[in-house]
Amino acid sequence: MDSRLHDPLVIGRVIGDVLESFTPSVKMSVTYNNKQVCNGYEFFPSAVTNKPKVVIQGGDMRSFFTLVMTDPDVPGPSDPYLREHLHWIVSDIPGTTDATFGKEVAGYEIPRPNIGIHRFVFVLFKQKRRQTINPPPSRDQFNTNAFAAENDLGLPVAAVYFNAQRETAARRR
């Protein structure tokens, strides 16, 4: 049986829309206020206003990672012609720590989905060495694969995504 059929990144079309197929080799845990991000779980935008804690397991002190957070569903999932919107980049994260020890290349931008349910994708790349990663010229029409290629990052080593949609007054009761 092909395990990719059960891969939430495939089912959620993160593989395809954002990433090429890859084999995860590092454990990454992303938490907002102690609530862990699991593929496809929904978070309210009000719960993700502060940057999450991102912990990497499976690296060592000699390895460095780059984290990218992107929204491939801009302006809306039915017609995401502005795909992708960049929300965060942190580079030079030491392998046994969390993202707060890395170098913020693009500051955390709060998810504010307007139309429909958006996916917010965290992608982790293993750097070949410590390196300077330049911020992209714009957060709009960002391309994770092109960014990885430009910075010689190769395929991702981990990824996770959550869903969020605009909070309406009715849902806040």
Side-chain angles (χ1 to χ4, degrees):
M1 167 104 41
D2 188 347
S3 65
R4 283 177 305 192
L5 296 175
H6 301 290
D7 184 338
L9 294 173
V10 173
I11 295 162
R13 293 193 325 278
V14 168
I15 304 243
D17 288 352
V18 180
L19 303 171
E20 295 166 35
S21 196
F22 73 98
T23 304
S25 57
V26 170
K27 265 183 77 71
M28 169 176 68
S29 119
V30 179
T31 50
Y32 283 98
N33 308 320
N34 297 323
K35 273 191 70 174
Q36 181 147 2
V37 171
C38 297
N39 287 317
Y41 281 36
E42 185 167 347
F43 279 77
F44 291 125
S46 58
V48 295
T49 55
N50 297 323
K51 52 179 106 150
K53 184 174 170 70
V54 179
V55 178
I56 299 162
Q57 297 150 340
D60 57 46
M61 286 315 285
R62 292 181 306 280
S63 46
F64 292 94
F65 295 89
T66 293
L67 175 75
V68 172
M69 178 186 177
T70 179
D71 173 359
D73 298 316
V74 182
S78 57
D79 183 19
Y81 63 91
L82 294 176
R83 167 176 300 167
E84 304 162 32
H85 184 80
L86 175 68
H87 280 270
W88 200 26
I89 298 176
V90 184
S91 70
D92 279 348
I93 304 167
T96 53
T97 62
D98 64 58
T100 52
F101 290 92
K103 197 173 124 211
E104 210 165 52
V105 176
Y108 182 75
E109 186 179 282
I110 299 169
R112 289 193 183 89
N114 257 333
I115 311 162
I117 298 173
H118 288 233
R119 294 163 294 168
F120 292 90
V121 184
F122 293 90
V123 187
L124 190 69
F125 295 96
K126 185 170 186 183
Q127 298 170 204
K128 294 182 171 71
R129 68 200 87 75
R130 275 196 106 121
Q131 67 191 87
T132 301
I133 290 191
N134 296 314
S138 165
R139 288 179 183 261
D140 295 317
Q141 294 177 313
F142 179 77
N143 183 304
T144 301
N145 288 328
F147 170 81
E150 282 157 24
N151 291 286
D152 192 27
L153 294 170
L155 286 172
V157 293
V160 67
Y161 78 100
F162 68 89
N163 293 326
Q165 57 187 309
R166 192 169 160 182
E167 288 176 68
T168 60
R171 285 177 55 201
R172 279 213 195 101
R173 262 185 246 150

